[in-house]
């Protein structure tokens, strides 16, 4: 499979299932209505597992611009491929969240709460303090990227290793990594830890014909974009200074 197509499909599956679980837990009249952080964090971790299974052998399963940038900063990924990876990730996120909206469209239509309608798309802080919200996104992504950098790949087949990325950890270990980040650090902002995961869906929220939707909160949107990028850069810097 083409590496860019792999990133698009993998990120699309991630957002289809991740946005889907938030809709299932929060929107009225669903079978899963009323779930909490454990269900959401677990499902997001398993959504990463699904994306990595599909994309890992082909693209490394970055599925996240912060991963792509962190690997490029440490010289483990070509800068020339960074724009294509990021574009594929954003488009995949938009497609995935759009399909999830269609799946739950009747339930979106059945609620008047604009906050609930927005939640399956972009992240939002529990307490709005932009400096600490930024720090939360930074730290969650820092942990993600540092663990990825300190892994040299897993064996697939007889002797080949997966391309560098989240897939280098293996699908199950990276799912556990995302799970513990969500449970340990996700209570403040909803842990985007992924610019494509937030920007693409937030853009879709602004353009989709969602009945009775409110603001897409673009004033907050820089936090889940820049926070993860800075966190990735700091993880890359520590990796380079401390040594592999």
């Amino acid at each position: 499979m083409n590496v860019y197509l792999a990133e698009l499909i993998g990120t699309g599956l991630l957002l289809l299932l991740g946005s889907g679980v938030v809709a299932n837990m929060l929107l009225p009249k669903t079978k899963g209505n009323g779930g909490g952080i454990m269900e959401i964090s677990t499902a997001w971790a398993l959504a990463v597992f699904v994306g990595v299974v599909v994309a890992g052998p082909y693209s490394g399963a970055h599925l996240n611009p912060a991963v792509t940038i962190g690997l490029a900063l440490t010289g483990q990924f070509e800068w020339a491929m960074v724009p294509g990876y990021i574009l594929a990730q954003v488009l995949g996120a938009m497609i995935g969240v759009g399909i999830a909206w269609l799946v739950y469209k009747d339930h979106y239509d059945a609620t008047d709460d604009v906050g609930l309608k927005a939640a399956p798309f972009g992240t939002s802080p529990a307490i709005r303090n932009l400096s600490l919200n930024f720090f939360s996104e930074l730290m969650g992504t820092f942990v993600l990227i540092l663990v990825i950098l300190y892994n040299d790949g897993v064996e697939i087949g007889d002797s080949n290793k997966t391309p560098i990325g989240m897939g280098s950890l293996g699908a199950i270990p990276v799912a556990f990594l995302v799970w513990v980040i969500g449970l340990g650090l996700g209570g403040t902002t909803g842990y985007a830890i992924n610019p494509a995961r937030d920007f693409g869906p937030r853009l879709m929220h602004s353009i989709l014909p969602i009945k009775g939707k409110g603001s897409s909160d673009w004033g907050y949107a820089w936090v889940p974009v820049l926070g993860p990028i800075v966190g990735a850069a700091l993880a890359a810097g520590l990796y380079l200074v401390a040594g592999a």
Side-chain angles (χ1 to χ4, degrees):
M1 194 189 323
N2 176 279
V3 294
Y4 302 113
L5 182 59
E7 285 294 299
L8 186 148
I9 294 173
T11 311
L13 289 169
L14 168 63
L15 266 296
L16 170 62
L17 299 172
S19 177
V21 70
V22 178
N24 190 23
M25 296 296 105
L26 299 184
L27 296 179
K29 301 181 180 179
T30 69
K31 296 291 187 179
N33 181 258
I37 186 68
M38 178 60 75
E39 291 92 339
I40 291 173
S41 295
T42 302
W44 271 104
L46 294 175
V48 171
F49 168 86
V50 170
V52 169
V53 166
V54 172
Y58 303 99
S59 67
H62 294 194
L63 314 183
N64 182 342
V67 173
T68 302
I69 291 170
L71 293 172
L73 287 171
T74 58
Q76 299 180 65
F77 189 70
E78 297 179 23
W79 278 106
M81 298 182 71
V82 168
Y85 263 57
I86 292 177
L87 178 60
Q89 292 154 5
V90 172
L91 289 175
M94 293 176 69
I95 293 169
V97 81
I99 297 171
W101 169 70
L102 283 175
V103 170
Y104 284 97
K105 185 179 183 303
D106 285 345
H107 300 275
Y108 279 100
D109 292 346
T111 180
D112 295 324
D113 189 320
V114 296
L116 294 182
K117 290 176 185 286
F121 290 87
T123 58
S124 62
I127 297 176
R128 198 179 186 94
N129 180 336
L130 295 183
S131 59
L132 284 179
N133 301 153
F134 177 87
F135 183 67
S136 294
E137 289 292 334
L138 182 157
M139 284 307 305
T141 314
F142 177 86
V143 173
L144 174 70
I145 304 303
L146 195 66
V147 174
I148 291 170
L149 290 174
Y150 274 99
N151 192 281
D152 65 352
V154 294
E155 299 292 335
I156 58 174
D158 295 328
S159 60
N160 294 324
K161 289 186 177 180
T162 59
I164 191 69
M166 289 199 291
S168 66
L169 296 178
I172 293 177
V174 78
F176 275 98
L177 172 61
V178 173
W179 194 19
V180 73
I181 291 172
L183 291 176
L185 301 173
T188 56
T189 63
Y191 74 113
I193 60 173
N194 181 341
R197 172 263 174 275
D198 194 274
F199 175 74
R202 196 180 298 271
L203 182 59
M204 288 296 281
H205 179 268
S206 70
I207 63 179
L208 283 173
I210 303 169
K211 180 182 177 182
K213 69 180 177 182
S215 168
S216 300
D217 196 8
W218 287 105
Y220 177 76
W222 66 272
V223 172
V225 171
L226 293 184
I229 291 173
V230 174
L234 292 175
L238 177 60
Y239 177 82
L240 292 173
V241 170

